[in-house]
Amino acid sequence: MKDIYHITENISKSSGGVRTILKLLHENLVNNNINSKIITTCKEPEDAFTEFKSDKAWYYNTHIKSHLKTLPDDAIFHLHGVYTYNQYVASEIAKKKNIPYLVTPHGMLEPWILEKNPIKKGLYLKLILNNILEKATVLHAITPLEKENLFKLTKHKNIVEIPNLIDFNNIPKNLNYNPKEDYFVFVGRIDSKKGIEIIIEVLKIINNSKIKVKIIGVENKYSEYLKELIKKRDLVNNIDFLGGIFGDEKYDLIANARALLAPSYSEAIGMVNLEAAACKTPVITTFQTGLKKEWGENGGILINPNVSELKNAIIESYNWNNNERIERGKHLYDFTQDNYSWDKKAWLWHELYESL
């Protein structure tokens, strides 16, 4: 197989799910003796990736261009993301050197996202991005809905759907549901698209002091706004911001939650949904995440991102007894292992790269 170069602007912890997804893909390829490299402008200090730091707009850095020019022609460029200089310059070099390249937007071209700053994003599409997408050998969609939306946007004739996958070997084996307190958990980037405000409004309506939510995620300006909203809604004793928590401590908090709440407006599956399922924790998330509809028949709950449906889901799950909660977690674990694990689905990536 050809050498594969993954090119993205940010694979640090602040990038959220993109880091998890790309690292898992890279590790699987390396473990299968395939030469895989990650080139980025932002990584963690411990990462053994090629980094060209940039503090400029558009992640602009001339050194990444010089580096990409030195790569062998007999290679594959895999572009992760769509809105920065990294994808632009990689596509330009790929076209000049006749290198096949594929683009994974990671949900960044979904309608809900495009509606945010529509003038700016529309202009970028017209002037730069349409050409990158049009000339790509393959567009990679994570969900059936994303595949449909990408076709509507680009009319590209080669869009391949491969879901996000999780490596169950990275999840601690000794996790059990034995909580010292009863709580729900949210894990992820603190962002308006994640539906945290819906959680706040639901807890205000339910008005039950015993329903607790722990929010795990690196805090930012938006989290400060949410904290003020929580104060206004008199929910300080219901919702607790824990900040960024990683590794085994994060998994332990997920495993002992009654359920994970992920009422996102737009998501390409969302790795936290898969991680929670791998912890045998039921997940309440939205149809807009692109999960198979059977998710809601195998221990999880699928809703639309609105107050009414989330309220019903939280009340339902709050009334589960311990046995029902544990059994739901086990069913979701089995379903996720069959449909979203590297053990069962890695061949999809190997087949795609082989085709290039």
Side-chain angles (χ1 to χ4, degrees), residues 336-353:
T336 301
Q337 194 167 50
D338 287 340
N339 292 276
Y340 298 105
S341 72
W342 277 101
D343 282 346
K344 299 291 179 70
K345 299 293 182 179
W347 66 270
L348 293 168
W349 276 113
H350 300 171
E351 184 177 76
L352 174 57
Y353 287 131

Side-chain angles (χ1 to χ4, degrees), residues 2 75-79 90-91 94-95 97-104 130-140 154-160 352-356:
K2 296 177 179 179
I76 296 169
F77 284 3
H78 189 162
L79 283 52
S91 67
K95 283 181 280 188
K97 299 181 72 172
N98 239 9
I99 294 173
Y101 73 92
L102 61 153
V103 180
T104 300
N130 280 340
N131 185 258
I132 296 174
L133 299 173
E134 179 187 341
K135 299 296 172 56
T137 314
V138 175
L139 299 183
H140 164 231
T154 68
K155 300 297 186 290
H156 202 287
K157 291 182 170 60
N158 195 7
I159 304 176
V160 176
L352 174 57
Y353 287 131
E354 285 282 5
S355 73
L356 301 177

